[in-house]
Amino acid sequence: MSMLEVRDLGVAFGAVQPLSDVSFSVGKGETLGLVGESGSGKSLTAMSVMGLLPLIGGRITAGAVEFDGQDLTKLPEKAYRKLRGGRIGLITQNPMTSLDPLQKIGPQVDAVAVLHLRMTRAEARARTVEILGTLRIPEPALICERYPHQMSGGMKQRIVIAMALAANPAVLIADEPTTALDVTVQAQIIRLLDDLVKSRDLALVLITHDMSVVAQVCDKVVVMYAGRAVERGSVEAIFERPRHPYTQALIGCIPRGLEGTERLTGIEGTVPTVMNYPSGCPFHPRCPRAEPICAREVPAFSTGGDSAAACHFAEVGHAKPA
Amino acid sequence: MPNLLEVRSLSKRFISEGGPFRKARSMHAVNGVSFDLPRGRVIGVVGESGCGKSTLARLILRLIEPSEGSVTFDGDDLMAKSPAQMRKLRARMQMVFQDPYSAIDPRYTVHRAVCEPFEVQGERPMADEVSELLEMVGLNAGLASSYPHQISGGQKQRVGIARALALRPSFLVLDEPTASLDVSVQAQIIGLLEDLRSELGLTYLFISHDLSLVKYFCDEILVMYLGRVVEAMPDTAAPARHPYTRTLMESTFSPDPSKRRLIAPLEGEVPSPFDLPPGCAFADRCPNASAICRKETPELTTDTGHAVACHHPI
């Protein structure tokens, strides 16, 4: 059963429409990868689910965000506050700015359980120490007395994960959780998240620009481009039988130094910004397959096998990427 | 093939002076690095943040002064050169920086930015030279009058490359040239650098934290950890011999869901580079470490051309 379902989500800031027709669902014990280049709307999707759009002046104009069967787009702010950081946890990209530099680690993590689980300070601290322990943080009781600047980037990201876990979330949204970290630390954090999904039956939405991370831990994938979902499907389908030309091109851009030496293809042109999203299919100006219809009409999703692609020519069977 | 660049025992020590509440500390940002770079080859330097890769790049171009060691470029000992002589030489050795957003003066047009290297040398570009340079890096010559904020990140990096190529250098230091770019743009820039290399016969020192990119792009690889070269791989197909290199490879995810593996992540993180204990800097994180590793620093040694600095190489 899906814990979080987003249907045809559209977001607007005044007259600008940076997000349209984004749909996905994620169930217990499942990891969904939301992948795309900068400006594709990944983080905005996360903000929409967390109900944080009003903070930055945006609003949901279409579609629904359902958490455990309840439509969040109609939820009053007071009720949203209970969910946010509670049953829906968020892990942000930059652990350096997610923690209060003036407060010790302990109280920062304790506050989550005090607020959402109505624990006393002492109960919350015991819980904090326990969670830090399960995240393989050495000497958790001592860490509680430290300040963020005394810790490394990887350790800070674990603290941020601990805060997201403190209120027993059912859904976790991780927005580029390892982008600021070195590869060996990235491997630790990704492995940790994967373990948590399995041991706690979490539904994880993993937002990333890194296709290799997606390939390693996700069950399902949504590929985004210029504010739209362009392809969705199982991780195997997306990587082995990509049907959208953008997905195919994106896979051709990954250096595979460890495996092969085919020349990187790149994609002609640049990623459009929200002020100049193309008409029709957002990818058509850079697409090798584009025809006049692509500039006129937004393609609908067509399903084939275990993936669906929003392309006018998804059925034609594009050349398989190298 | 003669070596274009010879680096010998290059070291840089930074000293943080003590204060009322602090002891003086020192760190070896780069520690005894030696290697040869033959003309026309691409050597990759890979390592995690703080391993000294960018300091090494700046030492080689003598943008900062080394504490010890020497750099020989095309037969010239750089350490013996006066500032004026260095400036002349730098026309032949240029650098492409990581962040194209801060490498170009925001008040300069693209044209002016590409002219800047000529000005530094007291020269003027020929009539069509700027537009030729822009075309060489795949930019429309019409962009010459644009300002940096009007062009995209990938275009800015192309301007950075055009600037580096302006004085017809034979050697380029590429310091994470694609780290701030999207993957589709990264692939374009890497393709451009490959084309320029074969057209102009360039020699590159390529610095990156991305092992799969280095393996894709380079002929040889130096792996750095806390200021030292721990492994020098003569070709990119060579299996790792240093436990750190192996960990780095295992931590690099494959973009193929059928090749999922149980990642056994390396515990711990890179230790503070200040006042390192004796012995191998990797010993505390290494599964093969023994007593000797905590006493003696292993030297970079080789019997096959594939050098490794480890008491217990794989």
Side-chain angles (χ1 to χ4, degrees):
Chain A
M1 193 200 104
S2 73
M3 283 308 296
L4 179 70
E5 185 166 1
V6 170
R7 271 196 313 268
D8 307 320
L9 182 69
V11 168
F13 288 72
V16 183
Q17 174 98 24
L19 209 63
S20 314
D21 296 331
V22 176
S23 301
F24 60 83
S25 73
V26 55
K28 283 184 178 172
E30 207 172 44
T31 301
L32 171 96
L34 212 55
V35 70
E37 297 183 276
S38 51
S40 60
K42 312 182 294 287
S43 295
L44 209 51
T45 307
M47 298 277 281
S48 312
V49 172
M50 296 304 291
L52 292 172
L53 284 179
L55 270 184
I56 51 171
R59 68 203 151 83
I60 292 177
T61 51
V65 177
E66 271 180 18
F67 168 72
D68 209 1
Q70 181 185 14
D71 186 359
L72 300 185
T73 56
K74 304 195 172 59
L75 206 63
E77 173 59 21
K78 210 169 163 198
Y80 227 130
R81 260 186 202 196
K82 286 215 173 83
L83 276 181
R84 194 188 292 142
R87 300 209 55 212
I88 308 181
L90 177 69
I91 299 167
T92 49
Q93 173 169 355
N94 194 341
M96 323 302 160
T97 54
S98 312
L99 297 170
D100 181 348
L102 299 178
Q103 218 184 2
K104 287 179 182 169
I105 296 301
Q108 295 195 49
V109 184
D110 298 347
V112 178
V114 170
L115 180 72
H116 286 286
L117 304 180
R118 310 236 167 264
M119 284 187 176
T120 65
R121 288 256 162 221
E123 288 165 349
R125 176 55 57 90
R127 186 175 162 79
T128 298
V129 170
E130 186 203 318
I131 293 172
L132 295 183
T134 58
L135 298 184
R136 290 186 233 116
I137 294 173
E139 303 187 81
L142 260 167
I143 291 283
C144 287
E145 298 304 317
R146 297 252 176 91
Y147 287 94
H149 75 268
Q150 295 170 302
M151 302 197 296
S152 67
M155 210 46 97
K156 274 188 259 196
Q157 192 59 294
R158 281 169 207 242
I159 302 296
V160 172
I161 294 175
M163 288 172 73
L165 290 177
N168 269 333
V171 172
L172 208 51
I173 296 176
D175 188 1
E176 302 267 13
T178 58
T179 306
L181 307 173
D182 274 317
V183 278
T184 55
V185 184
Q186 160 167 303
Q188 294 168 14
I189 298 290
I190 292 293
R191 166 83 185 272
L192 186 64
L193 285 173
D194 198 35
D195 287 349
L196 288 170
V197 166
K198 293 185 172 111
S199 64
R200 294 177 171 234
D201 232 7
L202 285 172
L204 174 66
V205 179
L206 182 64
I207 296 177
T208 178
H209 67 280
D210 188 336
M211 291 292 272
S212 306
V213 169
V214 171
Q216 289 297 313
V217 293
C218 294
D219 303 301
K220 299 195 289 193
V221 185
V222 176
V223 181
M224 295 190 63
Y225 185 78
R228 286 179 177 275
V230 294
E231 184 161 2
R232 56 172 185 256
S234 71
V235 68
E236 290 81 13
I238 294 290
F239 279 86
E240 284 153 27
R241 299 174 296 281
R243 293 168 64 233
H244 197 285
Y246 176 64
T247 315
Q248 295 169 351
L250 198 59
I251 291 172
C253 288
I254 312 170
R256 292 166 186 254
L258 302 180
E259 288 150 16
T261 49
E262 319 93 35
R263 194 184 151 99
L264 297 185
T265 46
I267 306 177
E268 286 297 312
T270 50
V271 181
T273 61
V274 66
M275 301 311 286
N276 60 9
Y277 278 170
S279 60
C281 168
F283 189 57
H284 83 262
R286 302 175 79 189
C287 183
R289 185 75 191 73
E291 289 189 23
I293 185 177
C294 303
R296 285 197 311 269
E297 282 174 34
V298 178
F301 272 94
S302 74
T303 307
D306 47 1
S307 70
C311 174
H312 290 296
F313 302 100
E315 302 313 317
V316 178
H318 305 295
K320 200 179 181 298
Chain B
M1 214 188 306
N3 291 326
L4 183 67
L5 188 76
E6 287 177 8
V7 174
R8 291 289 171 273
S9 325
L10 202 58
S11 296
K12 179 67 185 178
R13 212 168 24 245
F14 290 108
I15 294 171
S16 143
E17 288 184 17
F21 302 107
R22 237 184 2 191
K23 276 198 300 186
R25 303 188 295 175
S26 76
M27 72 172 278
H28 245 116
V30 171
N31 195 345
V33 171
S34 303
F35 66 93
D36 292 337
L37 179 52
R39 203 177 285 278
R41 298 272 287 178
V42 178
I43 199 161
V45 179
V46 69
E48 295 180 276
S49 47
C51 73
K53 358 182 242 303
S54 292
T55 307
L56 178 66
R58 283 160 177 77
L59 286 173
I60 287 171
L61 297 181
R62 217 177 145 204
L63 295 173
I64 50 177
E65 293 296 320
S67 311
E68 281 156 55
S70 71
V71 178
T72 311
F73 175 76
D74 210 5
D76 283 321
D77 177 6
L78 296 190
M79 298 311 143
K81 300 289 174 195
S82 69
Q85 287 170 318
M86 256 334 282
R87 177 169 299 172
K88 272 253 148 319
L89 263 175
R90 283 209 194 94
R92 291 156 56 198
M93 42 200 294
Q94 286 284 314
M95 183 152 174
V96 176
F97 294 91
Q98 169 169 357
D99 183 2
Y101 298 83
S102 54
I104 304 171
D105 191 320
R107 296 166 307 171
Y108 282 11
T109 59
V110 167
H111 183 272
R112 175 103 198 265
V114 177
C115 286
E116 207 182 3
F118 295 99
E119 286 167 23
V120 170
Q121 297 291 342
E123 294 172 19
R124 304 188 113 211
M126 301 210 261
D128 292 334
E129 210 165 351
V130 170
S131 40
E132 274 169 28
L133 280 164
L134 291 180
E135 268 160 39
M136 193 189 279
V137 297
L139 287 176
N140 187 327
L143 281 179
S145 55
S146 312
Y147 285 91
H149 71 269
Q150 296 170 314
I151 60 180
S152 71
Q155 288 172 324
K156 263 181 253 190
Q157 195 54 292
R158 286 176 194 264
V159 173
I161 295 170
R163 259 152 72 97
L165 292 174
L167 301 166
R168 314 279 153 181
S170 46
F171 173 54
L172 284 191
V173 174
L174 309 166
D175 187 4
E176 304 248 23
T178 60
S180 58
L181 305 175
D182 273 315
V183 54
S184 69
V185 183
Q186 161 171 291
Q188 291 172 10
I189 297 289
I190 291 295
L192 171 69
L193 290 169
E194 285 178 316
D195 293 343
L196 291 171
R197 175 196 179 189
S198 52
E199 279 164 37
L200 307 174
L202 295 169
T203 306
Y204 291 149
L205 181 82
F206 182 80
I207 292 176
S208 178
H209 66 280
D210 183 342
L211 189 60
S212 19
L213 187 60
V214 167
K215 281 207 150 202
Y216 169 79
F217 187 67
C218 302
D219 302 317
E220 299 173 34
I221 302 176
L222 301 176
V223 182
M224 286 186 76
Y225 188 74
L226 283 173
R228 286 177 186 272
V229 171
V230 295
E231 181 160 5
M233 307 169 100
D235 63 87
T236 56
R241 293 186 64 203
H242 196 286
Y244 175 64
T245 313
R246 182 145 92 174
T247 311
L248 214 51
M249 284 186 180
E250 283 172 358
S251 303
T252 306
F253 293 135
S254 159
D256 184 345
S258 68
K259 288 190 187 138
R260 280 193 193 190
R261 48 181 173 233
L262 192 66
I263 311 143
L266 184 61
E267 288 304 319
E269 291 184 38
V270 182
S272 156
F274 285 100
D275 303 318
L276 282 174
C280 174
F282 187 60
D284 282 343
R285 301 172 79 191
C286 182
N288 307 346
S290 66
I292 186 173
C293 303
R294 297 201 164 76
K295 282 205 293 281
E296 279 175 39
T297 306
E299 294 296 318
L300 190 68
T301 52
T302 175
D303 36 16
T304 56
H306 184 159
V308 60
C310 180
H311 292 298
H312 312 289
I314 302 160

